[in-house]
Amino acid sequence: MIAKLNHLVLFSPVGYDKLRTKPNPSFIFFKVQCLRTSTLTNHPKVIVNESAQTPNFTPQFSRLAKNEAQHVLFDYLHCTRSFSSMDAEHISKNSPHFLQNLLSKVDTNNTDKQVARSLTKFLRFNPINEFEPFFESLGLSPSELSVLLPWHLMFLSDDHVMLGNFHVLCNYGIPRGKMGKMYKEAKEIFGYDYGILALKLQAYEKLGLSKPTVIKLISCCPSLLIGSVNCEFVKVLERLKELRFENDWIGGYLSGKSTYNWNRMLDTVIFLDKVGYSEEQMCYLFDTNPALLVEGSGKKVNVLFGRILKLGLKMNEIYSLFIQNPTILSVKCIKNLLRAVDFLLEIEMGTEYIASIISNHIQLLGSCTLKGPKTVCRDLKVGRDGLCQIIKEDPLKLFNLASKLKIKSSEQASSQDPSKHQEKTTFLLRLGYMENSNEMTKALKQFRGRGDQLQERFDCLVQAGLDCNTVTNIVKQAPMVLNQTKDVIEKKIDCLRNYLAYPLESVVAFPAYLCYDMERISQRFSMYVWLRERGAAKPTLSLSTLLACSDARFVRYFVDVHPEDPDMWEKIKNHSPSS
């Protein structure tokens, strides 16, 4: 059948060819036959880039060409395909792989306007599979598309049910960039009949959850929308209410990077109740250590309980340990305990000795972070057997010999000068830090130098032309700014103003600029200025765009965009002064 139709239609794959093992209609562009012959011959601006067909070839395109491709795709979706402007804009701006592939279909050696005309002409004769850029704009990677694209559809409007549910989620406030994860994990919710999805969302609001909490909850756990209201989640919510937590408390600690097991969370609460924790103790434990319940859905408690049980302690003994030391189940204490058990097992101590140490010193084990056995053995110049014997004879020596905290405290004590400490504290008080607060304690560790040195560096920024309050905000956002000498700060300000021709106020949006070393600043600014002079880069790119990206990304977007760029980049690196 296809052979008979070949004189009318040419099939040409448009994207992600290397991912599929058999033909997929959802990957097909329909190309009019005349475009393959005379049209391509007479109009070389609209030619298929053969090198792009090579699986290992990844063509590079200039930023301006990509911008033009975005505009063309927006016009195609909005004007030709009647997408709403919001949908068309989001898809065109958030489908870089699709745009890369689209650009490979035309000759990008022409000017930007010619590239735009070529793409427009290409799309006029080649309707695209709209699901590809749509799914990519929802946060799905190209490698995930092959199994999610519908086999029999090309136009989004053909799947009006999916599109309708997508808009219900959009209108409710679910971020579009998180819907790809939702589609992958709970595709069923995009197939509900009209009105059903909205009712399911309202059902969770009726549990007493605020709309922002429901949005975060559904974004992280889309499976909650499958079937009726999740009973296990409701039970977790009820137990938290009994502990006097607000309905929205749990929403503040959910993360889209984690998965949640509501049944295990419930088991954790039941376990603590069985151990003998009072409501007040549980409330304090979860309030000060929400990660204990939320991150891993209480898994850390189960792991610790299982490890101690394997050492030979009985159930009632473990229960007694937990109830006598309620804070031992904080996230940090559990981590320290598990590390201590691993430490003792690694030096081949018998389980009965380990069980004894845990029974008698569980509070100390939970409060101390231990070094590795190899480090301790090297410091003491003994073998593992020797270290094991020392700890058996006196278990408290484990904390004296292996605790990181002891070493850290002694270092701090030896390096602290009361007068210098007071000078630095006075400077930080002028910045607005509260005396004896946690913020002050943290700031004293972050800022290096005497109080007068910090003040000199602060004044340097003010004298350069920044408002005093502005400098205060900059310093609080990026404390490392004041950990540099006055000369280095002045050199960076001069480079920004006189070489890049940017106003000093540019650092307000990106204070971290003043923290980068001069070599990185000099090299990247030189490359950008060279491109800007040739019209190959926008005249006022943000400092974060130039400096915050990795070396590989910088080379990709600022070095490989011009034929002479690689040679110039090598010259700049060879002649760039080191900081």
Side-chain angles (χ1 to χ4, degrees), residues 434 447 488 497 577:
M434 298 294 292
F447 291 97
V488 171
R497 280 174 161 171

Side-chain angles (χ1 to χ4, degrees), residues 324-364:
Q324 290 172 17
N325 305 278
T327 58
I328 206 66
L329 289 181
S330 70
V331 173
K332 186 175 181 180
C333 285
I334 289 178
K335 183 178 179 181
N336 288 341
L337 272 170
L338 292 173
R339 184 166 184 164
V341 172
D342 289 336
F343 181 102
L344 297 172
L345 287 173
E346 195 169 334
I347 62 173
E348 299 180 356
M349 181 176 284
T351 55
E352 67 278 5
Y353 287 104
I354 298 175
S356 175
I357 292 174
I358 288 176
S359 297
N360 297 316
H361 306 289
I362 192 169
Q363 195 70 44
L364 266 175

Side-chain angles (χ1 to χ4, degrees), residues 480-548:
M480 287 290 291
V481 170
L482 296 189
N483 291 346
Q484 304 167 90
T485 64
K486 179 184 175 184
D487 292 340
V488 171
I489 294 174
E490 288 176 340
K491 191 181 295 185
K492 291 177 181 179
I493 292 174
D494 180 71
C495 185
L496 180 70
R497 280 174 161 171
N498 301 322
Y499 186 62
L500 202 61
Y502 275 24
L504 182 57
E505 288 70 20
S506 304
V507 301
V508 177
F510 188 60
Y513 161 71
L514 295 168
C515 302
Y516 285 97
D517 62 80
M518 278 304 301
E519 183 178 13
R520 186 187 187 99
I521 291 173
S522 175
Q523 289 179 359
R524 295 198 175 189
F525 279 13
S526 297
M527 191 69 225
Y528 171 58
V529 169
W530 188 83
L531 286 170
R532 192 170 63 181
E533 289 172 350
R534 284 153 183 77
K538 288 183 177 180
T540 54
L541 285 177
S542 67
L543 294 175
S544 59
T545 300
L546 294 171
L547 294 172

